Amino acid sequence: MTSTTDTTQHPDVSEISELTEGLLSPSRTAEVGRHVDDCALCGDVRSALEGIRELLGTLPAPVRMPEDVANRIDAALAAEADVSRETEAAAEQRQVAGKQEARGREAENRAAQSNVADRPSGHPRAVGGPGRQSSRRRRRIVLGTALGAAAVGMSVLMLQMVQTSQNSAGSKAADMGVSSSKAGVSAFSGSPLSQRVHSLLSNAEASSPKHPNAEKQAPSVDVQSTPEDKSPAASASGTPLRAPVTSVPACVQLGTGREAAPLAVEEGAYEDTNAFLVVLPHETDATLVQAYVIDASCVRTDPAGRGDLLLTHAYPRP
């Protein structure tokens, strides 16, 4: 061991420990011994190390491991070694299989390349080869596309037919009237609907004041114009639309779907149902009026909603 002792430095603790154990060379033992004898600090270190050595010497000898424990440890180590060998063997087998598979693919690729190289240019593929499979796939794709387009076309056609039938039914209901049965199509409060409309309009016409120059004067304050009067047909008629004597509930007005001022209003019954008969100017023809039968149950509900339309029909204006 190389000395670290000189005239200005103390020996290492490791050298003092080797000195107490007799591991230094004779020349080094004499040199370190003289220093430790003359140095109080190094002498204390040697005394402490010798004390530790004596304490260690008084410790009991280690107890031998039981035989069964040693056997179990040996068996576990042997099993672990076997598992490691099996794992390594399996890994080697997988590597060999992977290499063989790679060589097989490489051989197939070389064979395919050689077949392509040997085939003269412009010659089609074999009937049973990949070209036939591609042709079958193309036929399946074209057939599926055609079927999908046909299904979409049929769906669009059916939707148009349904919308056309709904629009036709709505137009007929607005112009010709809607009813659950032909027997009661014109019955309101026990009288034909046409007679009730004619009677209401005649009464309203008779009750309104006449003026000798009515055709030349503007309508009086009790004559109301409706948005429908702005149409060419309404302007051509020259007949003023008179305000009703009876007020119309808001829900009943909503049931007509219009905002025009009614020509006449009457509360009665339609097919055993309490209803309102509301007569409005026709939307396009000034020589006609449009009669609406609205369910009156909305008047007694809170909050009042939109009255149900039971019947609507156009009649000549008296």
Side-chain angles (χ1 to χ4, degrees):
M1 178 176 293
T2 303
S3 173
T4 59
T5 303
D6 54 22
T7 57
T8 61
Q9 293 183 352
H10 300 281
D12 293 337
V13 176
S14 60
E15 282 189 325
I16 297 175
S17 176
E18 292 177 355
L19 175 65
T20 58
E21 295 178 0
L23 299 178
L24 294 177
S25 62
S27 60
R28 187 60 184 163
T29 299
E31 183 179 0
V32 174
R34 285 194 301 268
H35 178 84
V36 171
D37 292 338
D38 296 336
C39 180
L41 180 61
C42 294
D44 293 339
V45 172
R46 181 175 61 178
S47 300
L49 292 175
E50 290 177 350
I52 293 173
R53 182 178 180 185
E54 292 178 357
L55 290 175
L56 293 175
T58 59
L59 293 176
V63 181
R64 180 179 178 81
M65 181 182 296
E67 190 68 23
D68 55 343
V69 175
N71 292 335
R72 286 198 297 269
I73 293 175
D74 294 340
L77 294 176
E80 183 68 21
D82 294 339
V83 171
S84 299
R85 285 194 296 270
E86 293 177 358
T87 304
E88 292 176 358
E92 292 178 357
Q93 291 178 359
R94 286 194 297 270
Q95 290 179 357
V96 172
K99 292 179 180 179
Q100 292 177 354
E101 184 178 0
R103 284 196 293 270
R105 286 196 299 268
E106 185 178 356
E108 292 178 357
N109 293 335
R110 286 198 299 269
Q113 292 176 359
S114 62
N115 291 336
V116 172
D118 294 341
R119 185 184 300 114
S121 62
H123 284 216
R125 293 178 179 270
V127 176
R132 184 174 179 82
Q133 295 178 357
S134 301
S135 177
R136 290 178 179 177
R137 285 197 296 270
R138 285 195 295 271
R139 284 199 296 271
R140 287 198 294 268
I141 293 173
V142 172
L143 181 59
T145 304
L147 292 177
V152 172
M154 289 296 296
S155 302
V156 172
L157 180 60
M158 293 179 65
L159 181 60
Q160 292 178 351
M161 292 175 63
V162 170
Q163 291 178 348
T164 302
S165 63
Q166 290 178 351
N167 294 336
S168 177
S171 300
K172 291 180 180 178
D175 295 338
M176 301 302 297
V178 179
S179 177
S180 60
S181 63
K182 293 183 178 180
V185 71
S186 60
F188 184 81
S189 297
S191 301
L193 185 59
S194 59
Q195 294 183 8
R196 298 301 304 162
V197 172
H198 187 273
S199 177
L200 289 173
L201 293 178
S202 298
N203 293 337
E205 183 72 20
S207 62
S208 62
K210 299 294 184 178
H211 194 279
N213 298 323
E215 296 181 356
K216 298 180 181 180
Q217 295 178 351
S220 60
V221 293
D222 60 345
V223 177
Q224 298 180 356
S225 296
T226 64
E228 286 75 14
D229 294 338
K230 298 179 181 180
S231 64
S235 300
S237 66
T239 305
L241 304 180
R242 303 189 182 278
V245 178
T246 308
S247 62
V248 184
C251 65
V252 175
Q253 183 76 29
L254 289 175
T256 65
R258 298 173 57 187
E259 299 179 355
L263 301 176
V265 180
E266 184 182 25
E267 185 175 3
Y270 174 75
E271 294 186 354
D272 299 331
T273 302
N274 293 333
F276 278 88
L277 173 59
V278 182
V279 182
L280 299 178
H282 198 274
E283 291 183 312
T284 58
D285 193 346
T287 63
L288 300 177
V289 294
Q290 192 76 27
Y292 297 88
V293 180
I294 309 297
D295 190 351
S297 59
C298 67
V299 179
R300 294 180 294 275
T301 59
D302 187 18
R306 181 190 184 98
D308 295 332
L309 177 63
L310 304 178
L311 173 68
T312 180
H313 204 284
Y315 296 103
R317 183 172 183 177

